[in-house]
Amino acid sequence: MIHSLRFRLLIAFLSVILVTIGTVSLFISLRTSGEIGQFERRGEEAQFARLLHSLARYHFEQGDWTGIQAKVEEMGSLYGRRIVLTDENGVVVADSQGDLIGQPYQPPSSEEALLLPALLLPALPPPPHPFLPPPPLITEASGTVYIGPQSLTDPTSPRFLSHSITQFIIWGYLIGGGVALAMTLILSRRILSPIKALTKAARRLGQGDFSQRLELKDKGEVGELARAFNSMAGDLKRAEQLRRNMVADVAHELRTPLSNIRGYLEAVNDGLMKADAKAIQSLNEESNRLSRLVDELQELSLAEAGELKLQRQAGDISRLIDQAVVAVQAQATAKGVSLSTDLGEELPSVNIDSQRMAQVLHNLLDNAIAHTDHGDSITVSAVREGDCIEVAVTDTGEGIPDEDLPNIFERFYRVDKSRARATGGSGLGLTIAKRLVEAHGGSIEARSEPGKGTRFTFTLPVSP
């Protein structure tokens, strides 16, 4: 469970969301506390100023503190604070809670008990009369007022507001975390649903069910992964089919010469045939065919595994083409096929294994001769195209049907479904040619038009 992708996604999403919510909540809380603190200080200053002015005005008008208790109680209730008023001798003349009246007052040492001890000054007299001299300014202190902290339970208190906001932020954090957890569970399930389907399909594919496909409409990375899986499944299915076909073809190719050899030997053993030169020659031909097929299979397996060793050196491609044409000239003449070359002047050298490249040309020419008739022609051309030499073998033979053209480089694939020896060969020549060209860093392709001929083209990099 801990190592599952769903659990890790859950932890990752939840961590990111909670950290984000916590950071925003902390910032809001700090900013709100600061603003409320400033508002509280400004409000307290205004309250204290009004309180002092009201008490000073009362003393000025009454001349003493007689009857001030009722006013102090009213102010204490109004401001939500405890107010203690002492005269100039330090004796309590009014207490909003009514506990200390008449007693000498000693302020508590705790800063939280009383916020501000303030001197109470008498208010100034009324404005002077325009025709009378101004009265003297009275500056002596008439008493001291002590104001306690505002109760946190008072709804009008800024601290009460700050406390309420903090509670709302905490509840918002908890609710946001719960919503984030629920959304993460839903989203992780939705995200991992195609992954689970892919895992299930991959397991079935590994068990040999190559029909597995994923039907996802997602256009993102998951959809791309599903399409890649479907493509892989199709390739594996095709590769498996080719493997089965190859096994059947190899068995068929090996069975034919082995059956012939066995037939000859049984005939000689039963006295139905003499072990003369003709019989020995037939056995030799069949053994050579068998040996050639085994060599081709081995060479093809090395090429496909990338273990084919090439003895590469700078070579003249024009000279190599001329030698290949001369080697099959007799075969083409015997069939009545015209064979010619069309080589560009002063072609640059190419870095090739001359023996392997001669094998490619021989396979292409042999294939062209096999699929041409009397009166047809075969032309081998070579031209430079940028940093490559392009070699083409063009014939005017029967051509290749469109449905067969994409498969001609597959192992044991024959356009001639009758597998006739005259035209079928072993079915490995073009496959080996393709692998050898690719091993040299080039590419090979075929174009054909049924009834008009075929053109095989391969490229080779110019020697640096």
Side-chain angles (χ1 to χ4, degrees), residues 25-253:
S25 300
L26 179 62
F27 176 80
I28 293 175
S29 178
L30 293 176
R31 184 62 179 174
T32 303
S33 298
E35 292 294 331
I36 291 177
Q38 294 182 8
F39 175 76
E40 182 180 10
R41 284 190 294 273
R42 291 193 295 267
E44 287 178 346
E45 291 173 358
Q47 285 183 3
F48 298 160
R50 288 193 298 269
L51 178 63
L52 294 177
H53 179 77
S54 179
L55 292 176
R57 171 66 67 180
Y58 182 91
H59 186 274
F60 178 79
E61 292 176 351
Q62 298 294 329
D64 56 20
W65 295 115
T66 304
I68 192 60
Q69 175 63 26
K71 190 172 185 63
V72 169
E73 289 179 358
E74 180 184 356
M75 290 180 177
S77 176
L78 176 64
Y79 295 141
R81 299 172 182 270
R82 183 175 184 179
I83 301 174
V84 177
L85 176 64
T86 64
D87 58 14
E88 61 273 13
N89 298 319
V91 178
V92 177
V93 295
D95 181 4
S96 61
Q97 295 183 1
D99 297 335
L100 304 176
I101 298 175
Q103 303 177 15
Y105 184 71
Q106 295 293 333
S109 60
S110 173
E111 295 182 357
E112 295 181 357
L114 297 175
L115 289 180
L116 178 65
L119 285 176
L120 177 63
L121 299 176
L124 293 177
H129 194 277
F131 301 106
L132 296 176
L137 178 64
I138 302 175
T139 59
E140 68 273 12
S142 59
T144 306
V145 61
Y146 296 91
I147 304 172
Q150 195 170 22
S151 174
L152 293 178
T153 59
D154 185 359
T156 63
S157 169
R159 294 187 181 183
F160 179 83
L161 177 61
S162 177
H163 182 68
S164 300
I165 292 177
T166 302
Q167 287 184 333
F168 279 121
I169 290 176
I170 294 175
W171 276 109
Y173 183 79
L174 296 176
I175 294 174
V179 173
L181 178 60
M183 292 184 63
T184 301
L185 288 172
I186 296 173
L187 290 177
S188 63
R189 180 177 300 177
R190 184 172 182 179
I191 292 173
L192 293 178
S193 178
I195 304 298
K196 290 183 177 179
L198 178 61
T199 302
K200 185 177 180 180
R203 287 175 179 173
R204 291 185 177 180
L205 186 67
Q207 295 173 356
D209 184 3
F210 297 104
S211 63
Q212 292 298 312
R213 297 293 186 274
L214 293 177
E215 299 295 336
L216 298 180
K217 297 181 180 179
D218 193 304
K219 296 182 179 180
E221 289 81 358
V222 177
E224 184 65 25
L225 179 62
R227 289 187 288 274
F229 174 83
N230 291 339
S231 177
M232 179 191 69
D235 293 340
L236 288 176
K237 183 177 181 180
R238 184 168 177 268
E240 177 64 15
Q241 186 61 42
L242 290 176
R243 184 190 66 81
R244 293 177 180 178
N245 293 341
M246 184 188 72
V247 172
D249 290 335
V250 169
H252 177 83
E253 294 297 332

Side-chain angles (χ1 to χ4, degrees), residues 24 49 55 115 159 224 232 239 286 300 381-382 419 428:
V24 173
L55 292 176
L115 289 180
R159 294 187 181 183
E224 184 65 25
M232 179 191 69
E286 295 298 334
L300 181 60
S381 61
R419 308 176 72 92
L428 295 175

Side-chain angles (χ1 to χ4, degrees), residues 159-438:
R159 294 187 181 183
F160 179 83
L161 177 61
S162 177
H163 182 68
S164 300
I165 292 177
T166 302
Q167 287 184 333
F168 279 121
I169 290 176
I170 294 175
W171 276 109
Y173 183 79
L174 296 176
I175 294 174
V179 173
L181 178 60
M183 292 184 63
T184 301
L185 288 172
I186 296 173
L187 290 177
S188 63
R189 180 177 300 177
R190 184 172 182 179
I191 292 173
L192 293 178
S193 178
I195 304 298
K196 290 183 177 179
L198 178 61
T199 302
K200 185 177 180 180
R203 287 175 179 173
R204 291 185 177 180
L205 186 67
Q207 295 173 356
D209 184 3
F210 297 104
S211 63
Q212 292 298 312
R213 297 293 186 274
L214 293 177
E215 299 295 336
L216 298 180
K217 297 181 180 179
D218 193 304
K219 296 182 179 180
E221 289 81 358
V222 177
E224 184 65 25
L225 179 62
R227 289 187 288 274
F229 174 83
N230 291 339
S231 177
M232 179 191 69
D235 293 340
L236 288 176
K237 183 177 181 180
R238 184 168 177 268
E240 177 64 15
Q241 186 61 42
L242 290 176
R243 184 190 66 81
R244 293 177 180 178
N245 293 341
M246 184 188 72
V247 172
D249 290 335
V250 169
H252 177 83
E253 294 297 332
L254 294 177
R255 185 184 297 111
T256 301
L258 286 174
S259 298
N260 292 338
I261 292 174
R262 182 178 179 182
Y264 279 117
L265 293 176
E266 288 180 353
V268 171
N269 186 51
D270 294 339
L272 301 176
M273 179 184 294
K274 294 182 179 180
D276 52 11
K278 183 178 180 181
I280 294 175
Q281 183 179 0
S282 298
L283 289 172
N284 186 52
E285 290 177 356
E286 295 298 334
S287 64
N288 288 337
R289 180 183 301 173
L290 185 61
S291 177
R292 185 167 59 252
L293 177 60
V294 172
D295 291 341
E296 289 179 347
L297 287 172
Q298 182 180 12
E299 187 173 27
L300 181 60
S301 64
L302 291 175
E304 291 182 339
E307 298 179 357
L308 189 64
K309 296 182 180 179
L310 300 177
Q311 303 296 327
R312 302 177 67 168
Q313 58 185 359
D316 185 356
I317 190 64
S318 298
R319 180 171 176 271
L320 200 62
I321 291 174
D322 288 334
Q323 291 176 347
V325 169
V326 170
V328 298
Q329 183 66 61
Q331 182 181 355
T333 301
K335 199 173 181 180
V337 176
S338 173
L339 185 59
S340 62
T341 60
D342 181 13
L343 306 177
E345 297 181 357
E346 297 181 359
L347 291 175
S349 61
V350 287
N351 190 24
I352 57 174
D353 185 327
S354 298
Q355 183 178 356
R356 299 293 187 182
M357 200 48 56
Q359 183 179 359
V360 172
L361 290 169
H362 175 78
N363 287 345
L364 294 179
L365 288 171
D366 187 63
N367 181 76
I369 293 173
H371 292 86
T372 50
D373 294 325
H374 183 80
D376 290 330
S377 64
I378 300 174
T379 304
V380 184
S381 61
V383 294
R384 178 167 184 169
E385 294 288 345
D387 295 334
C388 296
I389 299 295
E390 183 181 272
V391 181
V393 178
T394 308
D395 66 68
T396 59
E398 60 189 19
I400 303 173
D402 294 337
E403 63 271 15
D404 293 319
L405 191 59
N407 303 313
I408 59 175
F409 291 107
E410 298 294 342
R411 291 178 296 242
F412 297 107
Y413 190 87
R414 292 189 182 86
V415 177
D416 181 10
K417 299 301 188 296
S418 64
R419 308 176 72 92
R421 286 294 171 189
T423 60
S426 66
L428 295 175
L430 292 179
T431 307
I432 293 175
K434 183 176 186 297
R435 296 293 185 270
L436 291 177
V437 169
E438 291 175 347

